[in-house]
Amino acid sequence: MARERPKAIRLTDRASEHLRAIMARSEGKVVGLRVGVKNGGCAGMEYTMEYAEEVKPLDEVIEDKGVKILIDPKAILFLIGTEMDYVTEKFSSGFKFNNPNVTDACGCGESVTIEPAGA
């Protein structure tokens, strides 16, 4: 019997509620949320998020709590085990990535150093 593959990313209830509300208000054809990483920032990598209007052939497609998440195959190893949350603090609110693969972060929290899972 094959065991289920772990999800690269999972959502908290707060994140899924916020994402469903945002996508319901979006204009155009939105099939899900595209999440990835790119080189940038003082710590080396930044998370990316954008509306996905189509599923690309090599996308990893994850459905969690009513939200479809699409991940570029190049980002999978950097995101395995990540929990995406939505936090509201005294002066700001936004999405927060709790990623077990992060080895360092910049002081402002905008960029991180990520080791691929299993490295």
Side-chain angles (χ1 to χ4, degrees):
M1 175 184 230
R3 67 178 206 205
E4 184 179 330
R5 272 180 40 196
K7 290 182 179 179
I9 193 168
R10 64 190 191 301
L11 304 173
T12 64
D13 291 339
R14 287 185 304 260
S16 65
E17 289 169 17
H18 199 74
L19 285 168
R20 286 193 309 268
I22 289 171
M23 287 194 277
R25 293 190 309 263
S26 68
E27 297 179 16
K29 177 186 156 196
V30 175
V31 298
L33 174 72
R34 187 172 307 284
V35 176
V37 294
K38 69 177 183 175
N39 291 335
C42 51
M45 298 189 95
E46 298 174 324
Y47 295 104
T48 62
M49 292 177 23
E50 64 185 7
Y51 293 125
E53 295 181 353
E54 66 177 340
V55 177
K56 296 179 181 176
L58 298 177
D59 281 342
E60 177 84 13
V61 180
I62 298 167
E63 302 244 2
D64 193 23
K65 298 182 174 131
V67 178
K68 185 181 286 189
I69 304 165
L70 309 168
I71 302 173
D72 183 290
K74 293 179 283 195
I76 291 291
L77 288 178
F78 295 104
L79 294 173
I80 290 176
T82 298
E83 176 187 71
M84 186 176 165
D85 195 6
Y86 187 81
V87 296
T88 302
E89 297 174 348
K90 190 171 185 173
F91 295 110
S92 66
S93 61
F95 291 100
K96 180 179 179 185
F97 291 85
N98 299 310
N99 186 336
N101 307 304
V102 169
T103 59
D104 196 13
C106 67
C108 66
E110 293 296 318
S111 67
V112 292
T113 303
I114 307 173
E115 292 293 326

